[in-house]
Amino acid sequence: MVDYHEAFRAAVDAVRAEGRYRVFADLERMRGQFPRALYYGGHNEHEREPREITVWCSNDYLGMGQHPAVVGAMENALQKVGAGAGGTRNIAGTTHYHMKLERALADLHGKEAALLFTSGYVSNEATLSTISRILPDCVILSDELNHASMIEGIRGGRSIKRIWRHNDLEHLEELLAELPADRPKVIAFESVYSMDGDIAPIAEICDLAERYNAFTYLDEVHAVGLYGKRGGGVSERDGVAHRIDIIEGTLGKAIGVMGGYIAAKADIIDAIRSYASGFIFTTALSPVLVAGALASVETLKESNHLREQHQERAARLKKLLADEGLPVMESVSHIVPVKVGDPVHCKRVSDYLLEQHNIYVQPINYPTVPKGTERLRFTPTPLHTDDHMGDLIKALDDVWTALKLKRAA
């Protein structure tokens, strides 16, 4: 007889044994006080007395989830049209808010059209799998550090896949040169890689794509809103957005709400809209969420000062960590990773910071990062003050001493 329950329990026990079992932190954000939040941390649900903490790992990079324009737009939409979309986009779920946001996103990236999905994960998975069906016999060349959603989309499309070494242009060209000139080729990569904080050489990748007649697919989820004069991402900052065939982004990070999208030429968008199961058969985003995202996108187009503040905060935190001898990893973006190198220690550091210092940062363990590179990933925002940073540095110095962890050389 099959013991089904035992199979599931054994699967969880295996994760625990590796030191990478994840526990949700029960948080309640405090409107208008970001990055402060309430933490319900008791073991007994009836004994949980919330206490204030500082959040250091939110992907709401600019605090737009708290912005008055965003909250106000959502409140207005709720009162005007109600809560839900009413169905899939093809049946009952397309609202005027959806149409306006897609036009705004197309404008953000200098493209003809855009298409909304329920998350950035879904937009990657649905689009990449659909590309494989539309381009028969295509080969997808995927950067080895691409996000799980891209990997799943490529796998789901059942195309031949070639993995190129991370940001290695020579290796990418080797793989392209091996393929017949008339065979469809798709280069899939990210702009900002969120765990290491490095940035792809987008212009050079576009050069190779043009030389070998390849189609380009760029994931900008950790750059939209944060780079470029209007927040169009690294491709806008570098002046190469027009050279990318499909730009994919999220509404759940710097935009501060929820959802994902792609932007491209109108016929490409129309084809994905017509074939992608992940779009066709999914209930549409609530117009309330869409209204908030629209307000955020339009606000950020005119808010370059927030991007400048964000970069300054990230640079300051990196310097403070380095000055204290803490093992901050090199990063050319707003991502601030601090290496621990062991999953058990990484979890202990996270727990210590929360319980002893009211600082919340999640441990980043395998499979999100390779084994041996476990880390804390800090995401400073324009709303993290010098006092917040001072408290963090003191807390990290304390925990590194208490747990006898390795300092920077």
Side-chain angles (χ1 to χ4, degrees):
M1 295 291 290
V2 178
D3 188 337
Y4 295 102
H5 181 263
E6 176 58 29
F8 287 99
R9 185 170 62 184
V12 174
D13 287 345
V15 175
R16 290 183 187 274
E18 294 178 13
R20 58 185 184 91
Y21 180 75
R22 302 183 184 190
V23 178
F24 291 143
D26 189 350
L27 303 179
E28 181 178 295
R29 302 212 315 176
M30 303 166 67
R31 177 177 170 182
Q33 298 184 52
F34 186 81
R36 301 292 287 170
L38 294 176
Y39 170 58
Y40 293 79
H43 295 291
N44 186 323
E45 183 176 352
H46 300 293
E47 297 175 358
R48 290 179 181 174
E49 288 296 329
R51 54 189 169 92
E52 284 195 30
I53 63 166
T54 303
V55 177
W56 273 100
C57 55
S58 174
N59 282 342
D60 187 356
Y61 292 125
L62 301 176
M64 292 302 291
Q66 305 273 308
H67 195 285
V70 176
V71 175
M74 296 178 75
E75 290 175 338
N76 290 338
L78 179 63
Q79 295 301 321
K80 186 175 182 179
V81 302
T88 65
R89 289 284 300 278
N90 286 324
I91 296 177
T94 295
T95 72
H96 189 52
Y97 290 104
H98 292 79
M99 304 301 287
K100 288 174 66 177
L101 178 55
E102 286 173 341
R103 287 196 291 268
L105 291 168
D107 171 74
L108 178 66
H109 295 291
K111 300 297 184 183
E112 293 177 356
L115 186 67
L116 288 172
F117 293 85
T118 50
S119 73
Y121 189 104
V122 173
S123 57
N124 267 335
E125 185 177 36
T127 304
L128 284 166
S129 63
T130 302
I131 287 172
S132 296
R133 294 197 296 274
I134 293 175
L135 299 175
D137 199 33
C138 80
V139 177
I140 298 186
L141 299 103
S142 176
D143 186 286
E144 67 177 333
L145 293 189
N146 278 342
H147 190 267
S149 58
M150 300 177 75
I151 295 169
E152 286 300 313
I154 296 167
R155 182 181 293 133
R158 299 180 182 177
S159 287
I160 292 175
K161 176 178 66 175
R162 294 287 183 267
I163 299 175
W164 48 292
R165 290 187 295 272
H166 178 54
N167 280 349
D168 188 331
L169 295 169
E170 290 185 5
H171 189 218
L172 174 59
E173 183 164 17
E174 287 176 14
L175 296 178
L176 287 166
E178 292 172 358
L179 298 170
D182 60 350
R183 188 166 189 178
K185 297 170 280 289
V186 177
I187 303 174
F189 62 108
E190 301 182 34
S191 57
V192 176
Y193 288 84
S194 64
M195 290 300 118
D196 292 332
D198 56 340
I199 294 177
I202 302 176
E204 290 82 357
I205 292 172
C206 289
D207 291 341
L208 291 176
E210 291 166 7
R211 187 176 308 155
Y212 291 94
N213 190 30
F215 188 93
T216 48
Y217 182 99
L218 174 62
D219 177 316
E220 286 261 39
V221 297
H222 287 279
V224 168
L226 304 177
Y227 296 86
K229 287 295 184 182
R230 300 198 311 154
V234 177
S235 58
E236 184 202 1
R237 183 197 71 177
D238 294 353
V240 293
H242 64 287
R243 302 176 68 188
I244 300 294
D245 292 300
I246 295 180
I247 295 176
E248 184 268 347
T250 182
L251 308 173
K253 293 182 171 62
I255 305 303
V257 190
M258 177 184 175
Y261 66 90
I262 57 171
K265 288 185 176 180
D267 55 355
I268 294 174
I269 294 298
D270 203 22
I272 302 299
R273 181 184 70 86
S274 300
Y275 283 89
S277 296
F279 172 81
I280 295 170
F281 298 106
T282 299
T283 298
L285 284 167
S286 162
V288 176
L289 296 171
V290 176
L294 176 61
S296 182
V297 169
E298 296 295 4
T299 298
L300 288 175
K301 286 178 180 177
E302 307 296 331
S303 301
N304 197 50
H305 65 284
L306 283 178
R307 286 180 278 280
E308 293 173 347
Q309 291 171 17
H310 184 230
Q311 291 295 320
E312 183 276 329
R313 293 285 82 189
R316 177 168 176 78
L317 180 58
K318 292 173 189 176
K319 183 178 186 306
L320 291 173
L321 290 164
D323 289 348
E324 196 63 33
L326 293 161
V328 58
M329 301 167 69
E330 184 177 351
S331 162
V332 296
S333 70
H334 59 281
I335 305 296
V336 185
V338 175
K339 186 175 180 180
V340 178
D342 176 87
V344 175
H345 287 330
C346 204
K347 180 68 166 60
R348 289 178 67 192
V349 170
S350 175
D351 291 344
Y352 191 102
L353 289 171
L354 186 57
E355 298 304 327
Q356 301 299 321
H357 294 281
N358 295 323
I359 288 173
Y360 175 59
V361 57
Q362 269 289 355
I364 306 295
N365 292 332
Y366 177 85
T368 305
V369 295
K371 292 180 179 179
T373 69
E374 293 82 3
R375 68 199 66 176
L376 303 176
R377 175 183 173 275
F378 295 96
T379 54
T381 73
L383 302 176
H384 283 90
T385 65
D386 286 350
D387 287 342
H388 289 141
M389 292 191 181
D391 291 342
L392 174 64
I393 296 300
K394 290 176 183 177
L396 287 170
D397 179 61
D398 176 37
V399 68
W400 246 254
T401 300
L403 300 182
K404 300 179 180 178
L405 298 175
K406 184 177 180 180
R407 300 262 178 171

